[in-house]
């Protein structure tokens, strides 16, 4: 069900949902500031952002930092990033972490990023895991179609 999705509100909602975990670890979460409206299935994008943010919150140490940001990549395209200052993902694992049942956490099931991968594919977007220098990971969703912000 593709429709305009106000991403700033959606990101704020997802952060609020994860607030018990965020407060428990005293993590600083930087929400996006620029307004963004994209064509997407809101429930699926909410699930993808939830999974990415939950992974970031679980990856960082207490007192760590997580940031959600987006930037234009073309006239009507944006990239959305979830960045953290956790341990990062070894380069050798970056292509595997989107496969079902692959996890880097001792008690992880390995489905969160596989679900994100399916949601990204359904939207015809792309996803990549990049290093966040000097420390951490960046999960970048790209080829997202943006539209003029609705006031």
């Amino acid at each position: 069900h593709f429709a305009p999705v106000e991403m700033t509100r959606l990101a704020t909602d997802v952060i609020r949902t994860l607030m018990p975990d965020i407060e428990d670890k005293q993590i600083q979460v930087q929400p996006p500031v620029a307004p963004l409206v994209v064509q997407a299935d809101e429930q699926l994008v909410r699930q993808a952002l939830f999974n990415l943010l939950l992974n970031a919150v679980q990856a960082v140490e207490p007192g760590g930092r997580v940031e959600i940001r987006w930037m234009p990549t073309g006239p009507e395209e944006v990239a959305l990033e979830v960045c953290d200052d956790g341990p990062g993902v070894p380069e050798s694992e970056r292509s595997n972490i989107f496969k079902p049942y692959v996890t880097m956490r001792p008690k992880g099931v390995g489905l969160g990023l596989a679900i994100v991968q399916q949601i990204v594919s359904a939207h015809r977007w792309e996803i990549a895991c990049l290093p966040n220098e000097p420390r951490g990971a960046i999960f970048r969703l790209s080829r997202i179609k943006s539209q003029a912000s609705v006031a």
Side-chain angles (χ1 to χ4, degrees):
H1 302 290
F2 285 74
V5 177
E6 210 291 282
M7 292 297 294
T8 311
R9 179 187 52 78
L10 189 136
T12 304
D13 289 350
V14 171
I15 291 168
R16 191 176 306 117
T17 302
L18 289 168
M19 199 50 81
D21 297 304
I22 292 167
E23 288 176 345
D24 187 46
K25 287 180 83 174
Q26 299 179 338
I27 297 169
Q28 181 183 357
V29 177
Q30 178 70 47
V33 286
L36 175 66
V37 178
V38 301
Q39 255 328 92
D41 181 303
E42 183 167 348
Q43 292 306 316
L44 291 178
V45 172
R46 179 182 304 274
Q47 182 66 56
L49 189 57
F50 177 87
N51 288 8
L52 289 172
L53 199 55
L54 178 61
N55 274 10
V57 166
Q58 290 173 340
V60 299
E61 296 294 322
R65 180 176 166 78
V66 175
E67 181 181 2
I68 304 169
R69 61 186 180 206
W70 37 73
M71 67 283 301
T73 54
E76 294 177 3
E77 276 191 2
V78 295
L80 182 153
E81 295 182 339
V82 176
C83 315
D84 68 61
D85 64 358
V89 179
E91 193 170 349
S92 60
E93 292 296 317
R94 290 187 197 140
S95 59
N96 292 327
I97 57 173
F98 298 106
K99 295 176 182 171
Y101 309 111
V102 174
T103 183
M104 294 176 59
R105 289 185 33 247
K107 294 183 181 175
V109 177
L111 291 177
L113 290 176
I115 291 167
V116 172
Q117 172 70 60
Q118 290 199 328
I119 292 169
V120 165
S121 294
H123 284 83
R124 294 189 176 94
W125 301 342
E126 292 176 0
I127 187 167
C129 175
L130 308 165
N132 187 15
E133 298 302 335
R135 177 174 161 78
I138 299 173
F139 285 86
R140 176 181 294 153
L141 279 57
S142 55
R143 302 191 65 203
I144 301 171
K145 302 289 183 232
S146 64
Q147 55 187 61
S149 180
V150 283

